[in-house]
Amino acid sequence: MKKNLGTIPAVYPMPVLMVAAYDENGKVGVMNAAWGSICARDKIALFISEGHKTTQNVLQSKAFTVSLADRAHMDVADFVGIATGNKMADKFERTGYHAVKSENVNAPIIDEFPVVMECELCEVVDTENMYAIVGRIVNVQADENVLDENDKVAVEKLDALIFDQFRHGYYVTGEKAGMAWDAGKGLM
């Protein structure tokens, strides 16, 4: 028997995405965004509010990076989600992390996170019901220690964080349950 829980964002898992962009002075800004998703083969949509400092940086610079947070960096991933760049001018510096400029877009790559998508701003969707930043992914970089023998990201090595909307916890990915486009073939 199911129990009514009311109106809640009942999607699980949610990624823990580190969105980074330069401000008008070339200073690194970064935020934690769980409400984001791939929306085309080379596009990512971030459902973040216009009021975020990082959103303003993206709009100004027309570029951003999106990194996948992992267990080893959970403390910083959480910190950049609870601290606001609108009130904390040294937010990124407090992390002690390092950033380098992307060779492909005008945005910072945070060295510590294992996988990063380099994106150009291609659209802002601003309707009564949604505000989204859409970026075209121009390149993906991954640390060699999270790659398999075919240079594909191995999620069992990635230890990527996922956000639990129900109880506000962080969990990690890694256990393979089956193969996509195969598990359902028996019902064909």
Side-chain angles (χ1 to χ4, degrees), residues 11 13-19 31-37 45-48 52 66-67 77 81 161-165 169-170:
V11 173
M14 297 292 290
V16 179
L17 305 173
M18 301 292 98
V19 181
M31 69 176 286
N32 177 325
W35 292 12
S37 182
L46 303 172
F47 304 99
I48 56 180
H52 288 293
V66 179
S67 298
L161 290 179
I162 51 180
F163 178 62
D164 162 18
Q165 296 268 28
Y170 291 118

Side-chain angles (χ1 to χ4, degrees), residues 35-145:
W35 292 12
S37 182
I38 296 298
C39 59
R41 182 144 183 82
D42 67 340
K43 305 279 186 319
I44 187 167
L46 303 172
F47 304 99
I48 56 180
S49 74
E50 192 173 5
H52 288 293
K53 175 67 172 150
T54 302
T55 303
Q56 292 305 308
N57 293 347
V58 169
L59 296 174
Q60 175 270 314
S61 67
K62 308 289 190 237
F64 58 98
T65 59
V66 179
S67 298
L68 303 179
D70 62 344
R71 182 194 312 244
H73 304 100
M74 180 174 54
D75 57 344
V76 168
D78 191 58
F79 167 72
V80 300
I82 58 178
T84 174
N86 288 323
K87 295 180 181 175
M88 187 180 291
D90 64 343
K91 178 178 161 181
F92 180 70
E93 290 81 4
R94 287 188 190 199
T95 69
Y97 279 17
H98 308 91
V100 296
K101 187 178 185 311
S102 164
E103 294 179 9
N104 299 293
V105 298
N106 181 30
I109 294 173
I110 299 172
D111 286 334
E112 286 75 8
F113 295 115
V115 176
V116 61
M117 292 166 271
E118 300 164 82
C119 305
E120 295 175 338
L121 178 63
C122 59
E123 183 177 7
V124 175
V125 179
D126 187 3
T127 71
E128 179 181 343
N129 296 303
M130 175 176 51
Y131 188 87
I133 300 287
V134 180
R136 183 175 71 82
I137 303 166
V138 300
N139 187 49
V140 175
Q141 292 187 32
D143 290 346
E144 289 182 6
N145 65 345

